[in-house]
């Protein structure tokens, strides 16, 4: 809608007439360009949504890893509590044997040192556990004293070990984001191509000119002689080529990541399972036999301390290995696009 008003001087000094004009026009080019413009806008919205999904996936990995590390710390705390219990029983056995005259004061001192060290390790494990709780609460945006639990399935069953990698990669949020951006650029390219079509519409006008009222109606055509959308098409074409290359590169690297993560997870999982079935039972048996042997006077305190230190180190090694296997499983789920 356009409106204008002015004055026509009749003699250049005094008398004048008021003229005005009102023009109403309506373009119909959006009947053709509107669907393409809507398609581009929806594709842009979808790309933004996929970017959010990709960012969320990274946060989920961080939270899941923190939760798995907390489980490992809980195991460390349980190990430290068991060690303190064994150290307490060892100290009692040493004091009893010293009272009976079976051992020297050195045994009692070493047993008390073992007890003090076990108590310190338990305090350290509890402090690390409290720190992990604070970190998890911070990642989840919770108040310091607000209780929480992780309801998501963090088990490693269902990890994609035998899958069509091409199809698997296509479901990753970062690949789907590029797919959405490609759809957006293709829609923009189609929209730019419509710049070569005529821009037409209807025009109606009412005017007063020199005392006469004039009414007109007609059809307006805008010929795309100089600007036919060629610059927009060139830009969209270049972006399309870049995104296609970026997607192909991402798919190749993603498949490589999945293969590497799958191999690492398989090896670590098998090793952790082997340690669970072979190492842990032996360690538990050795702990019981060592305490029983010392209490019966069959081994000295130095031998007992060596067995206990070896057992504790082996337990720590198992927990670290178990943690590596779980983190490798989470990494595999992450690169497979399954962590969501």
């Amino acid at each position: 809608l356009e409106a204008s008003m002015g004055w026509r001087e009749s003699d250049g000094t005094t008398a004048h007439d008021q003229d005005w004009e009102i023009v109403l026009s309506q373009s119909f080019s959006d009947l053709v360009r509107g669907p393409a413009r809507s398609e581009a806008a929806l594709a842009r919205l979808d790309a933004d949504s996929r970017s959010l999904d990709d960012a969320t996936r990274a946060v989920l990995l961080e939270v899941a890893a923190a939760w798995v590390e907390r489980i490992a710390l809980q195991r460390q705390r349980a190990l430290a509590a068991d060690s303190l219990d064994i150290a307490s029983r060892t100290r009692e056995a040493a004091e009893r044997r010293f009272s009976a005259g079976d051992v020297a004061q050195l045994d009692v001192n070493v047993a008390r040192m073992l007890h003090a060290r076990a108590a310190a390790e338990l305090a350290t494990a509890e402090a690390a556990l409290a720190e992990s709780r604070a970190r998890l609460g911070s990642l989840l945006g919770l108040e310091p004293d607000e209780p929480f639990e992780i309801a998501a399935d963090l088990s490693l069953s269902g990890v994609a070990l035998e899958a069509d990698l091409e199809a698997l990669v296509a479901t990753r949020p970062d690949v789907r984001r590029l797919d959405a951006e490609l759809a957006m650029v293709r829609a923009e390219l189609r929209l730019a191509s419509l710049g070569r079509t005529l821009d037409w519409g209807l025009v109606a006008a009412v005017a007063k000119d020199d005392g006469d009222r004039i009414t007109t109606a007609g059809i307006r055509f805008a010929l795309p002689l100089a600007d036919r959308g060629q610059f927009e098409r060139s830009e969209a074409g270049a972006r399309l080529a870049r995104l296609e290359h970026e997607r192909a590169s991402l798919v190749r690297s993603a498949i490589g990541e999945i293969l590497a993560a799958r191999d690492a997870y398989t090896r670590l999982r098998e090793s952790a399972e082997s340690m669970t079935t072979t190492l842990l039972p032996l360690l538990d048996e050795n702990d019981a036999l060592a305490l029983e042997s010392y209490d019966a006077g069959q081994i000295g305190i130095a031998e007992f301390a060596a067995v206990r230190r070896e057992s504790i180190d082996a337990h720590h090694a198992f927990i670290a290995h178990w943690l590596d296997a779980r983190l490798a499983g989470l990494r595999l789920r992450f690169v497979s696009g399954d962590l969501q």
Side-chain angles (χ1 to χ4, degrees):
L1 176 65
E2 302 176 18
S4 61
M5 180 178 292
W7 288 265
R8 183 191 304 273
E9 296 183 358
S10 58
D11 57 5
T13 55
T14 56
H16 59 272
D17 294 327
Q18 187 181 63
D19 295 336
W20 51 266
E21 181 181 22
I22 298 176
V23 180
L24 178 65
S25 62
Q26 173 63 54
S27 172
F28 292 99
S29 60
D30 279 346
L31 291 176
V32 177
R33 298 176 184 174
R37 188 176 291 113
S38 298
E39 182 182 357
L42 289 174
R44 186 177 299 109
L45 181 62
D46 188 36
D48 291 341
S49 176
R50 298 307 176 188
S51 297
L52 180 60
D53 291 342
D54 196 27
T56 301
R57 183 176 64 122
V59 174
L60 286 176
L61 176 63
E62 187 176 5
V63 173
W67 180 255
V68 170
E69 290 168 359
R70 177 174 173 80
I71 296 175
L73 289 174
Q74 288 174 339
R75 293 192 171 196
Q76 296 277 19
R77 194 266 177 205
L79 173 62
D82 290 341
S83 296
L84 181 60
D85 178 63
I86 294 175
S88 298
R89 291 157 59 190
T90 304
R91 184 183 63 178
E92 293 171 358
E95 291 172 347
R96 183 174 61 253
R97 293 184 62 193
F98 174 75
S99 299
D102 293 338
V103 296
Q105 181 66 40
L106 179 62
D107 278 39
V108 176
N109 292 345
V110 172
R112 290 174 178 173
M113 289 171 55
L114 292 175
H115 183 272
R117 182 172 182 174
E121 289 179 349
L122 177 59
T124 300
E126 289 177 340
L129 196 59
E131 184 179 353
S132 73
R133 191 259 175 245
R135 179 169 177 261
L136 258 176
S138 176
L139 287 173
L140 296 173
L142 303 178
E143 296 296 330
D145 298 329
E146 187 175 352
F148 68 90
E149 64 179 17
I150 301 297
D153 177 19
L154 295 184
S155 66
L156 301 185
S157 60
V159 174
L161 295 178
E162 302 295 337
D164 181 356
L165 295 186
E166 290 280 356
L168 193 63
V169 167
T171 64
R172 283 183 28 156
D174 50 353
V175 176
R176 297 177 69 182
R177 173 182 57 81
L178 285 179
D179 288 337
E181 290 184 4
L182 282 167
M184 177 185 69
V185 173
R186 291 188 181 104
E188 291 176 350
L189 185 60
R190 286 191 292 272
L191 180 61
S193 298
L194 294 175
R196 291 174 293 186
T197 61
L198 290 177
D199 182 4
W200 65 281
L202 300 178
V203 181
V206 178
K208 178 184 176 185
D209 184 8
D210 197 18
D212 298 325
R213 179 168 297 183
I214 303 172
T215 302
T216 59
I219 299 178
R220 178 181 61 83
F221 290 98
L223 302 179
L225 298 179
D227 183 6
R228 302 186 304 276
Q230 63 270 33
F231 303 108
E232 290 82 359
R233 290 197 304 275
S234 297
E235 181 183 6
R239 290 174 59 198
L240 182 63
R242 176 183 62 81
L243 287 173
E244 288 176 342
H245 177 73
E246 184 177 345
R247 187 189 188 281
S249 298
L250 179 59
V251 168
R252 285 195 302 270
S253 64
I255 291 177
E257 287 179 342
I258 293 174
L259 290 174
R262 186 169 64 183
D263 181 63
Y265 166 66
T266 301
R267 294 174 183 272
L268 289 171
R269 184 195 63 182
E270 292 175 352
S271 178
E273 290 175 350
S274 176
M275 293 177 72
T276 301
T277 57
T278 59
L279 177 65
L280 294 185
L282 290 176
L283 293 178
D284 294 337
E285 183 180 358
N286 286 349
D287 288 338
L289 290 175
L291 182 57
E292 181 181 342
S293 298
Y294 176 73
D295 197 14
Q298 297 174 348
I299 62 173
I301 191 66
E303 293 174 280
F304 174 81
V307 172
R308 280 296 303 143
R309 179 45 50 192
E310 182 67 25
S311 176
I312 292 173
D313 290 344
H315 273 290
H316 283 306
F318 167 74
I319 293 174
H321 203 68
W322 175 89
L323 177 60
D324 288 341
R326 293 299 297 265
L327 292 178
L330 289 176
R331 175 65 182 171
L332 176 57
R333 292 184 61 178
F334 176 78
V335 299
S336 301
D338 182 52
L339 191 65
Q340 50 187 300

